[in-house]
Amino acid sequence: MSDNSFKSVEQKKSTAPLQINDFKIIWRIISKNWYIPLLITPIFYVVGYFYVYKLASIYQASVELLKSNDAYMKESLITDNQGFYSSSSYVDNSNEIRIITSFDIMKEAVEKLKDKLQVSYYLVGRVRTTEQFSGTPFNVMVKNINPALIESTISFKIIDFEHYEIKYLLNGLEIKNSGKFNEDFINEDFSIIVKRENQFVRNTADGLSLINYQIVIHDLNNLVYAFQQNLKVVNPDYTNVLVLTLDDILPERAILVLDTLSKIYIGKSTKSKFEINERTISFIDKQLEEVSSSLKEVEDTMQNFKKQKGILDLDWEKNDFFTKLASFDGQKSKLKLKIDAINDLEKYIIEDKDPEFLPPNVFLVDDDRFLTSSVTELYNLQIQLSTQLGFSKEVNPNVIEIRQKTKKLKQNILLYINNTRNATIKIIDNINGEVEKYIAEFKTIQPKQREVSNIQRKVSVNEGLYTFLLQQRANKKIAKASIVPEIKIIDSPRNLGAVSPDKEKIISAFFAVGLAISFFIIIIRILFFTTIQTVEELKEKTFLPIIGDLPFQKNILNVGIAIDENPSSFIAEAFRTLRTNLQYVILNSNKKTILVSSNSPGEGKTFTTINIGAILAKGGKKVVLLELDLHKPRIQKALEMNADIGISTFMVGQSTLEEIVKPTVIKNLNVILSGPIPPNPSDLVLSEKLKELIEYVKANFDYVLIDTPPMGMLADASYLMQYSDINLFVLNTKFANKAVLSLFHKLVQDNSIKDVYLVLNGIKRKRNKYYYSKYGYGYGYGYGYGYGYKKNT
């Protein structure tokens, strides 16, 4: 077959529309491999189920906290600690999250729960060991422990109501000890006390003794790290809510840890406020002591200064000075008016004016009774004189007497005025002296006042500061009573249920893996291990013509000549069909040499060779079989013949051609056996004597059948093809696969081998299917058109 023919066939296959054969292929794949997923997927499902059954469920506990400040504390002006108490409606809670997830706060919670967390209790079952948090009939309290036993499994068994037994491995040695409940157990490895719980009573001791327990003592730091890793804190967007979740295989333990952690966190938030408040009050008290001391010192300074300067009250002294100065000025003004009045009176008297016009100033001295009475008397005398002169003359004795009295009175008044004026002037001089004295004393008041003001200012400052501190101290006391936690629990710790593992998902994954492995096995079988079982399958995978097929028959390969053993059997009928097809191939040609080979041993190559020869011989043709599989000859065993001489002895010149040709039990069927197995079989095949042998048998027999070694193991068959006219490749359904066909295809194409035909051996099929299938190998059916490519004419 030419390369172009092969390409054209492949193009026809590739461009052909989807046909019924494609569905047949799919059905064939399903029918050959349906049991694989049915076996593997249930196995994986069961394995997944038991795997999940042994897995411990992880539960999640949750608590929700609200961070908000009390309204009173936000609006109160008492504390004036805006940085501490004030908050907006929404704040960044990243710092709070860091605090909650910190090592220290978790360690405080674990230490608080040490008696409940340090020891884990396990109930040992037949299939799995289950950890328990509550319900165990005993409680282990650890005082000291060997670090090598931390996180180690310790077996615990109740012996009776009073005693227990523990076993553990240390340095590869098993150590067993017994102890008494509610009493200290001390050895070189640990110091513990095992207490009975309330549910452990004498009546239950026998039943509990049948149960196996295990305990594990933990390091507290390891517990802290474990809880810290499983703790998650989430702050939902635009809220002050903190959602704390903790994953644990024991939901009760997770709830307990979350509850304790929340309370510690809330307590720390108020504790910090109380500490700040206490520190503030302590600071205020300290400042009050300092201010009080400073105030006492300033007051002492004021008192000493007043004592040294003789100061009683500077304000009173200043007011007294101004009062007296005003009094002196009033006195001086009054005295000056008096002087002016008596001066006017003196001038009036001296000038002797009309008595009806007394000076007005004379009334300013009405406090001087003498002067007042004298002036009044003078005024009356002048009135009398004026009256007498109205009706008498100057010489009138009454007038004279009046004038004498007036004169004498004037003299007395003038003398009195002079004395009075001199006395008044002296009084004014005295007043001026007093004023100067007071002014001198007043000048000393200002420096005192300034010094006293400085001291008083210090007093006022310290008094104000003292009053302010007292007020602030009172405010802090009130604020302390008003401190409330900013953190509130709005959703108490509760179990959210199992969050992992997703057991259904794991089982589904196992099922899917089993299904995937099944499909993978099916694909591998299809690609590498699926063998060709029918002629139809072989047609789909090869461009080589198929000349015949042989049905499967149990132990048939152990039979030498099958067609002679049971002439009416399926296998005999198959060889008759094969003979017919061969006759069509060699029709009107000189082709008489047929080479039979296979890819590997056990495919029926030798069996096919013998039976083709036998069926041809029964047709009246002289046939000879050449046993050229010199490595493992099989014809001699199948025909139960002695191979003391044969091809190998002929090659080395020990036998002649006539001697090595032997007849068989079948008429016209002769055989040339391999002879003794030579040490170099492949070298003998390359000998020139082989050509002589081939020419001899071609000249003396109608058909020559050459049995060769398997092509997939040795190159002898490829070499011997130069002597053959027809090359038959036997494929067995046990071994025939795509790889074998690819090998044949490559061999044919690389060596341009012609007249190559395939024989499929070991086909399993029903009687009627086989009966009718034999008619498909006639000319124009199996060979010409149906089973490969159209033969070129």
Side-chain angles (χ1 to χ4, degrees):
M1 177 183 292
S2 64
D3 293 343
N4 292 333
S5 298
F6 170 70
K7 291 179 180 179
S8 64
V9 172
E10 291 298 316
Q11 288 174 357
K12 288 180 182 179
K13 289 183 179 181
S14 62
T15 57
L18 192 64
Q19 297 179 354
I20 192 67
N21 290 336
D22 297 322
F23 296 101
K24 290 182 179 180
I25 294 172
I26 296 173
W27 173 250
R28 189 161 54 244
I29 293 173
I30 295 174
S31 63
K32 289 181 179 179
N33 301 282
W34 61 269
Y35 62 91
I36 295 176
L38 288 183
L39 289 176
I40 293 179
T41 50
I43 292 173
F44 271 82
Y45 182 87
V46 172
V47 171
Y49 179 82
F50 279 102
Y51 173 77
V52 166
Y53 178 76
K54 297 193 70 175
L55 282 179
S57 296
I58 304 298
Y59 297 88
Q60 187 175 85
S62 171
V63 62
E64 293 188 8
L65 306 178
L66 176 64
K67 184 179 183 297
S68 61
N69 295 327
D70 187 79
Y72 169 75
M73 297 310 294
K74 282 200 238 179
E75 298 174 0
S76 175
L77 298 177
I78 294 175
T79 60
D80 196 28
N81 290 330
Q82 296 298 322
F84 182 75
Y85 290 108
S86 64
S87 69
S88 60
S89 60
Y90 170 71
V91 295
D92 182 10
N93 292 305
S94 57
N95 289 336
E96 302 298 329
I97 294 175
R98 292 288 297 275
I99 292 172
I100 295 174
T101 56
S102 65
F103 180 87
D104 291 339
I105 192 171
M106 181 60 77
K107 184 176 182 180
E108 187 174 345
V110 170
E111 288 178 346
K112 190 173 182 180
L113 300 171
K114 176 182 177 181
D115 293 341
K116 295 183 177 181
L117 299 181
Q118 189 175 14
V119 180
S120 293
Y121 304 88
Y122 297 88
L123 183 63
V124 180
R126 294 181 179 180
V127 179
R128 62 177 178 177
T129 300
T130 307
E131 184 176 1
Q132 293 186 325
F133 186 68
S134 59
T136 53
F138 59 90
N139 181 37
V140 179
M141 299 183 65
V142 181
K143 297 179 179 179
N144 292 298
I145 184 172
N146 185 346
L149 290 177
I150 291 178
E151 308 299 340
S152 298
T153 301
I154 301 173
S155 298
F156 187 98
K157 191 169 183 63
I158 297 173
I159 299 176
D160 52 39
F161 184 72
E162 297 292 339
H163 301 88
Y164 61 85
E165 179 185 82
I166 57 175
K167 291 189 296 182
Y168 55 91
L169 289 175
L170 185 64
N171 299 324
L173 299 176
E174 184 180 74
I175 300 174
K176 182 186 297 185
N177 290 289
S178 298
K180 295 187 68 176
F181 287 106
N182 299 332
E183 293 185 5
D184 288 336
F185 177 84
I186 302 174
N187 66 3
E188 63 275 9
D189 294 322
F190 45 67
S191 173
I192 61 174
I193 179 170
V194 182
K195 295 183 177 181
R196 287 187 296 267
E197 294 292 340
N198 294 331
Q199 67 269 27
F200 187 6
V201 295
R202 290 187 181 275
N203 296 335
T204 61
D206 292 339
L208 294 175
S209 65
L210 302 176
I211 302 174
N212 294 321
Y213 294 95
Q214 290 178 348
I215 62 172
V216 175
I217 301 174
H218 303 288
D219 178 67
L220 292 183
N221 287 334
N222 292 341
L223 286 175
V224 173
Y225 286 123
F227 288 127
Q228 198 177 13
Q229 290 177 353
N230 294 324
L231 177 66
K232 301 292 184 297
V233 182
V234 178
N235 178 205
D237 293 340
Y238 308 110
T239 68
N240 283 335
V241 175
L242 298 177
V243 181
L244 283 66
T245 58
L246 182 63
D247 296 342
D248 199 342
I249 60 175
L250 300 173
E252 302 95 333
R253 181 168 61 190
I255 291 173
L256 182 63
V257 172
L258 274 184
D259 183 62
T260 305
L261 182 68
S262 301
K263 291 178 180 178
I264 291 175
Y265 171 63
I266 293 173
K268 281 188 174 293
S269 66
T270 55
K271 182 180 178 181
S272 62
K273 292 181 182 180
F274 281 113
E275 288 178 351
I276 292 174
N277 188 280
E278 290 294 338
R279 286 198 297 268
T280 304
I281 292 175
S282 177
F283 174 77
I284 290 174
D285 290 340
K286 184 178 180 181
Q287 293 298 313
L288 281 173
E289 292 179 2
E290 294 179 359
V291 172
S292 178
S293 176
S294 177
L295 184 60
K296 184 176 183 302
E297 182 180 349
V298 173
E299 288 175 346
D300 291 343
T301 301
M302 172 71 81
Q303 186 175 357
N304 293 333
F305 179 76
K306 286 183 177 182
K307 186 176 181 180
Q308 290 176 0
K309 301 296 182 180
I311 299 172
L312 295 176
D313 189 346
L314 288 176
D315 291 334
W316 179 84
E317 290 180 4
K318 183 171 65 173
N319 292 334
D320 182 63
F321 168 75
F322 286 112
T323 301
K324 287 184 178 181
L325 187 62
S327 177
F328 285 144
D329 287 341
Q331 292 179 21
K332 284 173 63 177
S333 297
K334 190 173 182 180
L335 291 173
K336 285 181 180 181
L337 288 174
K338 185 177 181 180
I339 291 173
D340 291 339
I342 62 178
N343 285 337
D344 290 341
L345 181 60
E346 183 183 35
K347 183 179 178 181
Y348 172 79
I349 293 173
I350 293 173
E351 292 180 354
D352 195 16
K353 292 185 177 181
D354 188 352
E356 293 182 2
F357 300 98
L358 288 174
N361 290 339
V362 71
F363 297 105
L364 298 176
V365 292
D366 56 358
D367 59 338
D368 192 342
R369 294 179 178 180
F370 174 78
L371 186 58
T372 302
S373 63
S374 296
V375 172
T376 302
E377 184 180 358
L378 178 61
Y379 179 73
N380 290 332
L381 287 176
Q382 287 178 342
I383 295 298
Q384 291 177 8
L385 179 61
S386 177
T387 303
Q388 284 293 330
L389 287 176
F391 61 83
S392 63
K393 296 184 180 190
E394 290 288 337
V395 291
N396 187 306
N398 290 329
V399 171
I400 294 172
E401 183 180 1
I402 292 171
R403 285 192 182 278
Q404 288 177 351
K405 287 182 179 179
T406 300
K407 183 177 178 180
K408 185 178 180 180
L409 183 58
K410 285 183 177 179
Q411 289 176 350
N412 289 336
I413 291 172
L414 290 173
L415 179 61
Y416 184 80
I417 287 173
N418 185 54
N419 292 333
T420 300
R421 182 171 47 242
N422 292 333
T424 301
I425 290 172
K426 287 182 180 180
I427 292 172
I428 290 173
D429 290 340
N430 289 334
I431 290 173
N432 287 332
E434 288 294 328
V435 169
E436 290 178 358
K437 179 182 176 182
Y438 272 100
I439 290 174
E441 290 180 359
F442 182 75
K443 289 181 179 179
T444 62
I445 291 177
Q446 291 182 349
K448 294 178 182 178
Q449 180 70 33
R450 190 163 49 249
E451 187 66 26
V452 170
S453 296
N454 289 336
I455 298 173
Q456 187 63 43
R457 186 163 52 251
K458 292 180 181 180
V459 172
S460 299
V461 169
N462 283 278
E463 286 179 345
L465 182 58
Y466 190 82
T467 302
F468 172 77
L469 290 173
L470 284 177
Q471 183 181 7
Q472 290 299 311
R473 191 176 188 278
N475 290 342
K476 296 300 178 185
K477 288 289 186 180
I478 297 173
K480 182 178 180 180
S482 304
I483 291 176
V484 293
E486 289 185 3
I487 311 298
K488 298 179 181 178
I489 298 177
I490 61 175
D491 193 357
S492 299
R494 58 190 178 90
N495 181 18
L496 298 180
V499 293
S500 67
D502 189 340
K503 296 186 177 181
E504 292 184 358
K505 187 175 182 180
I506 292 175
I507 292 175
S508 299
F510 269 88
F511 184 83
V513 169
L515 198 60
I517 291 176
S518 299
F519 284 119
F520 179 76
I521 292 173
I522 291 173
I523 292 172
I524 296 299
R525 278 169 53 86
I526 292 172
L527 295 178
F528 302 103
F529 299 102
T530 299
T531 57
I532 300 169
Q533 299 294 318
T534 66
V535 174
E536 288 78 6
E537 294 180 43
L538 185 58
K539 285 194 302 179
E540 294 166 0
K541 294 179 174 58
T542 184
F543 60 86
L544 298 174
I546 304 169
I547 199 169
D549 59 348
L550 305 175
F552 171 77
Q553 188 170 331
K554 192 174 181 181
N555 299 325
I556 190 64
L557 295 182
N558 296 327
V559 179
I561 305 176
I563 62 171
D564 198 46
E565 294 284 338
N566 189 358
S568 61
S569 65
F570 286 158
I571 191 69
E573 190 62 30
F575 277 109
R576 292 188 186 97
T577 303
L578 181 56
R579 178 187 62 185
T580 303
N581 291 334
L582 278 173
Q583 289 174 346
Y584 278 113
V585 171
I586 62 179
L587 186 64
N588 300 323
S589 68
N590 294 323
K591 298 177 179 178
K592 58 167 55 181
T593 306
I594 303 172
L595 182 143
V596 183
S597 186
S598 64
N599 181 66
S600 59
E603 295 199 66
K605 163 182 62 66
T606 302
F607 172 77
T608 302
T609 304
I610 295 172
N611 283 275
I612 289 176
I615 201 69
L616 289 174
K618 284 182 175 291
K621 302 294 183 180
K622 291 182 63 179
V623 182
V624 64
L625 305 179
L626 296 185
E627 191 178 29
L628 280 173
D629 186 356
L630 302 181
H631 298 268
K632 288 185 178 181
R634 297 292 181 89
I635 294 178
Q636 53 189 277
K637 182 178 180 181
L639 297 179
E640 299 179 354
M641 298 179 67
N642 187 7
D644 53 346
I645 61 172
I647 296 174
S648 59
T649 57
F650 169 74
M651 292 291 188
V652 297
Q654 295 179 0
S655 302
T656 63
L657 289 171
E658 290 76 8
E659 291 175 343
I660 62 176
V661 177
K662 296 180 179 181
T664 66
V665 295
I666 303 297
K667 184 180 179 181
N668 297 324
L669 179 61
N670 298 278
V671 62
I672 300 178
L673 301 176
S674 63
I677 299 176
N680 53 345
S682 296
D683 292 340
L684 290 181
V685 172
L686 300 177
S687 172
E688 287 295 327
K689 299 277 287 181
L690 179 61
K691 185 177 181 182
E692 181 183 347
L693 174 62
I694 297 298
E695 290 176 352
Y696 172 79
V697 294
K698 280 184 177 183
N700 292 278
F701 295 93
D702 296 324
Y703 292 103
V704 179
L705 277 79
I706 303 175
D707 183 38
T708 67
M711 295 177 57
M713 302 180 65
L714 297 169
D716 295 13
S718 301
Y719 177 78
L720 292 172
M721 285 181 184
Q722 63 181 309
Y723 301 114
S724 65
D725 300 319
I726 298 174
N727 300 290
L728 300 183
F729 290 159
V730 179
L731 300 173
N732 194 293
T733 55
K734 291 183 179 180
F735 311 107
N737 54 37
K738 190 175 180 180
V740 174
L741 283 177
S742 298
L743 177 64
F744 285 160
H745 293 163
K746 189 174 186 305
L747 179 66
V748 171
Q749 290 178 341
D750 291 347
N751 298 281
S752 299
I753 301 175
K754 298 179 181 180
D755 299 311
V756 177
Y757 302 92
L758 301 179
V759 176
L760 185 60
N761 185 25
I763 296 177
K764 297 178 182 179
R765 52 189 172 184
K766 296 180 181 179
R767 287 177 176 265
N768 56 351
K769 186 173 181 182
Y770 170 74
Y771 179 80
Y772 291 105
S773 67
K774 65 181 182 179
Y775 296 102
Y777 289 100
Y779 187 78
Y781 285 81
Y783 157 64
Y785 298 99
Y787 293 88
Y789 59 90
K790 185 176 180 180
K791 185 176 178 179
N792 296 328
T793 56

